[in-house]
Amino acid sequence: MDVRRTWLQTHRLLLPAVAILIFINAIPILILIYMSITDWGRSLTLSFEEPFVGLSNFIYIFSQPRFWQAGYTTLIWVLGSLALQLPLGLGIALLLARATRRRLLVSRLFNYVMVLPLVVAPVVVGVMWRFMVFEPSRGVLNAFLGVLGIPGIAWLGRSTALFSVILVDVWQHTPLFVLMLFAGLQALPATLYDAAKCDGATGFQLVRHITVPLLAPIVYVVTVIRSIDLLRWIVTIFIMTGGGPGGATEIWNMYLYRLTFDRYNISRGAAMGLFLIFVSLLISIAFVKLTISRESKE
Amino acid sequence: MQQHKLREGLLDVTTTILLLIAVAAIVIPILAMFLTSIQPPVVARAPGIHLAFSPEWVNYRNLLLDEGFMRSLLNSLIVATGHTALAILVSFPSAYALSRSGNFRGKFLIALWIMATRCLPPIGIAIPFYIIFQQLGIYNTHFGLMVLYLTLNVSFGVMMLRSYLRNVPIEIDESAVIDGATLHVILAKIILPVIRPGIVATGIFVFTVSWNEFMFAFLFTSFRMRTAPVEISQFITPMGVQWTEMSAAGMLVIAPIIIFAIAIRRHFVSGLTMGALKN
């Protein structure tokens, strides 16, 4: 029809908006690349006279033990957070599904409360946990332990800081897993379960052979998204420990901050930033490849 | 049959208890901050937890009198509102174009774009933007922040608006064209009312992200331009922390968003899930 032809032409009118926006994302990266292969010293103005230093900024970073230490911390941070959030999210989603199905009152309550950790400002989350929960003398956690007769712990002290920070991320983002998995559970066809029950499957078998495989796609997606978000996460760590006692909670992103602002070395910061972006892109691409290969098998 | 009912009942109780524990885990930290915010400063300074005290609103009163903090709240409001308007203005045309294009291409483009923007650490891209903004003279301004936040919200806004737009049948566009609406401005006046709930939902989500944002604001504002989240971080000084006022400030910052979350819960949930599912 004629109308559709006009549409295609007018789309080209609207797509420039998209182009501009892609530009907003691309220019900073180009500048970053330029920064990382030159030496800016301490200047913060672009003068195009910065000396070209090739890959020496990158080599510098990779030769720092602190970089590798931060990498190790980042690994624990990402894996630890995911390892806790995923099962917890799944368990709560299953509970919620049951509560909803059985029309229990608690399901309505939980539905309202569940969103809170996701929408409360991360600054406030950091402040809240650092001063109200983790605080050794006045915090909720130690008070709770006190009731049980257990001596208080210095939660943000060197040995437990990373765990505490992971705990906060679990508090914040488990509801995301719950939301996704719950939506996924609701979408599962009941007929599959009925047929399996007719064949005599037990509750456990139902979960293992029907629920888990069908939820797997959602799990993949949320896991990848969370991994990338975890890599670029900083606010709560910044507020609670600033990199932790003696670098205990210094993940790569935090190291990036220190590299750039503690010594005002723009070039090295840019190199580190590009490295982080590269890692994130790797994860995304790996995920896309995995999804495509899985889908082609079906 | 009786046994079955008993078993079901027991499972119900267990489910309820476990979910209540989850509710408690979520609410307790927030509650702790609220309680601290209504404590008189003398009480809060003493070690240990105090649950029996007479609540006072002195902390809130002090905050309302604090010019710096009140200004930061105003800054947050200005930036969040302005940015939300800007984000929707920028996202809408693109969302419309992508919603009317060939099925696969639009979806793939967006997914690619979202993935790419997700990979950028805020601190990483802050420096290039700092340089650009200095040159343009918009560093440390409301407008500067509004533009900066576009890097966070536009890809999301386009995705959300596009999915709402795809539910608007193209017949509506076609009949409008037949009626002589050649200008897309007129078309926007026909489609816009139809997806108003979608725009509201997207707007609320973008507003929340902007209101809560800390890192960019921290690096791009100072003194009179600070937003509320940055101002809160200023309560933490090397000389000590003003517990009670900081708690009150925290409560003030999260209060509007909590009200949104309760009143317009479904919009938030759709925004959050869409952020992950449509990939």
Side-chain angles (χ1 to χ4, degrees):
Chain A
M1 219 194 130
D2 272 332
V3 187
R4 281 187 204 260
R5 188 87 58 81
T6 352
W7 288 128
L8 279 170
Q9 288 161 357
T10 49
H11 287 175
R12 303 222 172 91
L13 261 173
L14 297 169
L15 278 176
V18 179
I20 293 177
L21 300 164
I22 295 178
F23 227 39
I24 284 188
N25 287 325
I27 285 187
I29 296 193
L30 292 175
I31 297 182
L32 270 183
I33 295 177
Y34 176 72
M35 280 186 202
S36 65
I37 55 178
T38 54
D39 182 15
W40 281 54
R42 282 173 195 269
S43 103
L44 282 175
T45 45
L46 184 61
S47 62
F48 290 111
E49 284 162 23
E50 295 84 8
F52 179 78
V53 290
L55 294 176
S56 65
N57 287 320
F58 290 93
I59 295 174
Y60 171 81
I61 294 174
F62 294 148
S63 66
Q64 298 295 301
R66 195 170 167 190
F67 169 81
W68 296 102
Q69 177 63 37
Y72 177 68
T73 310
T74 308
L75 194 64
I76 301 181
W77 158 252
V78 174
L79 292 180
S81 297
L82 289 175
L84 287 175
Q85 285 170 36
L86 182 52
L88 197 59
L90 181 60
I92 296 181
L94 288 170
L95 284 172
L96 188 62
R98 181 166 208 287
T100 313
R101 204 178 354 120
R102 304 274 301 164
R103 301 218 195 330
L104 300 177
L105 246 141
V106 70
S107 69
R108 279 205 78 191
L109 175 63
F110 191 76
N111 272 325
Y112 276 96
V113 170
M114 172 169 59
V115 198
L116 289 180
L118 286 165
V119 297
V120 170
V123 204
V124 181
V125 172
V127 157
M128 199 162 70
W129 278 79
R130 176 172 166 185
F131 296 108
M132 267 114 252
V133 181
F134 286 143
E135 235 284 325
S137 55
R138 294 175 198 96
V140 171
L141 274 178
N142 278 347
F144 183 65
L145 289 180
V147 164
L148 297 176
I150 306 174
I153 303 178
W155 293 95
L156 294 177
R158 190 154 189 176
S159 45
T160 51
L162 189 56
F163 172 72
S164 304
V165 161
I166 290 178
L167 193 62
V168 177
D169 192 78
V170 169
W171 182 84
Q172 268 190 297
H173 293 110
T174 304
L176 188 66
F177 278 91
V178 175
L179 275 173
M180 298 279 109
L181 292 170
F182 180 69
L185 282 172
Q186 298 294 81
L188 292 180
T191 48
L192 268 178
Y193 285 96
D194 295 338
K197 276 186 201 155
C198 280
D199 290 343
T202 65
F204 240 35
Q205 285 175 325
L206 285 175
V207 172
R208 222 191 113 209
H209 294 284
I210 299 183
T211 316
V212 172
L214 285 179
L215 285 183
I218 298 182
V219 171
Y220 281 131
V221 171
V222 189
T223 306
V224 169
I225 289 181
R226 285 263 60 230
S227 312
I228 297 177
D229 280 346
L230 281 168
L231 273 179
R232 59 177 199 149
W233 190 255
I234 188 163
V235 182
T236 47
I237 297 182
F238 187 79
I239 298 284
M240 288 196 291
T241 61
T249 57
E250 190 172 78
I251 59 176
W252 266 336
N253 206 14
M254 196 68 220
Y255 177 59
L256 170 62
Y257 178 84
R258 295 278 169 230
L259 205 57
T260 314
F261 292 102
D262 271 1
R263 297 164 201 190
Y264 280 102
N265 196 315
I266 308 295
S267 302
R268 291 178 187 157
M272 183 70 203
L274 281 175
F275 172 76
L276 262 185
I277 295 175
F278 177 67
V279 173
S280 303
L281 281 175
L282 266 185
I283 298 180
S284 312
I285 293 176
F287 168 67
V288 170
K289 285 233 161 103
L290 254 169
T291 325
I292 291 179
S293 73
R294 280 179 79 250
E295 268 165 29
S296 63
K297 279 182 198 156
E298 285 164 16
Chain B
M1 210 47 217
Q2 278 288 69
Q3 251 189 346
H4 183 73
K5 278 216 161 162
L6 187 64
R7 186 167 161 269
E8 287 291 305
L10 228 67
L11 281 176
D12 281 351
V13 172
T14 321
T15 308
T16 307
I17 292 181
L18 288 174
L19 282 177
L20 281 177
I21 293 179
V23 170
I26 291 176
V27 168
I28 284 181
I30 303 178
L31 200 62
M33 191 169 73
F34 175 67
L35 286 177
T36 310
S37 74
I38 54 178
Q39 278 177 357
V42 192
V43 176
R45 247 176 262 138
I49 291 218
H50 313 274
L51 288 175
F53 57 87
S54 45
E56 282 183 33
W57 298 101
V58 61
N59 299 307
Y60 289 98
R61 190 156 36 90
N62 287 343
L63 276 180
L64 290 174
L65 295 173
D66 182 341
E67 199 194 321
F69 185 72
M70 291 315 290
R71 190 182 313 122
S72 74
L73 273 181
L74 184 64
N75 287 334
S76 277
L77 189 62
I78 295 175
V79 172
T81 322
H83 166 70
T84 304
L86 190 60
I88 294 194
L89 213 68
V90 167
S91 308
F92 184 69
S94 318
Y96 178 76
L98 287 168
S99 74
R100 297 294 185 253
S101 81
N103 201 351
F104 186 62
R105 203 208 313 146
K107 200 172 177 183
F108 184 67
L109 268 174
I110 293 192
L112 214 65
W113 180 20
I114 290 178
M115 229 179 230
T117 48
R118 254 209 144 94
C119 292
L120 307 174
I123 302 158
I125 60 177
I127 302 292
F129 273 122
Y130 173 80
I131 293 173
I132 297 177
F133 278 21
Q134 281 281 25
Q135 303 282 59
L136 294 177
I138 55 176
Y139 176 76
N140 203 26
T141 60
H142 292 132
F143 182 67
L145 265 188
M146 290 183 205
V147 170
L148 194 53
Y149 286 171
L150 287 178
T151 56
L152 299 171
N153 284 322
V154 168
S155 54
F156 175 79
V158 170
M159 178 185 67
M160 243 183 121
L161 287 176
R162 176 184 170 273
S163 76
Y164 283 108
L165 280 167
R166 280 183 69 74
N167 288 334
V168 176
I170 198 168
E171 284 76 29
I172 293 186
D173 308 34
E174 291 173 351
S175 60
V177 168
I178 291 175
D179 285 348
T182 50
L183 283 170
H184 286 278
V185 179
I186 298 180
L187 217 60
K189 290 206 173 120
I190 297 176
I191 294 196
L192 214 68
V194 174
I195 58 158
R196 194 149 41 117
I199 293 190
V200 170
T202 311
I204 288 174
F205 203 82
V206 169
F207 183 90
T208 304
V209 171
S210 172
W211 177 267
N212 288 347
E213 207 281 334
F214 173 76
M215 208 65 221
F216 280 144
F218 181 72
L219 295 172
F220 279 75
T221 60
S222 56
F223 305 111
R224 301 177 64 89
M225 275 298 156
R226 282 198 198 119
T227 57
V230 182
E231 198 66 36
I232 288 188
S233 72
Q234 301 299 313
F235 275 97
I236 306 172
T237 66
M239 292 172 295
V241 182
Q242 300 147 283
W243 304 92
T244 48
E245 276 179 29
M246 189 173 61
S247 309
M251 289 307 300
L252 283 180
V253 168
I254 68 177
I257 309 301
I258 292 186
I259 294 176
F260 279 161
I262 294 182
I264 334 175
R265 193 185 68 90
R266 219 172 296 134
H267 289 313
F268 267 119
V269 173
S270 71
L272 289 164
T273 54
M274 228 178 276
L277 266 178
K278 299 282 172 77
N279 214 354

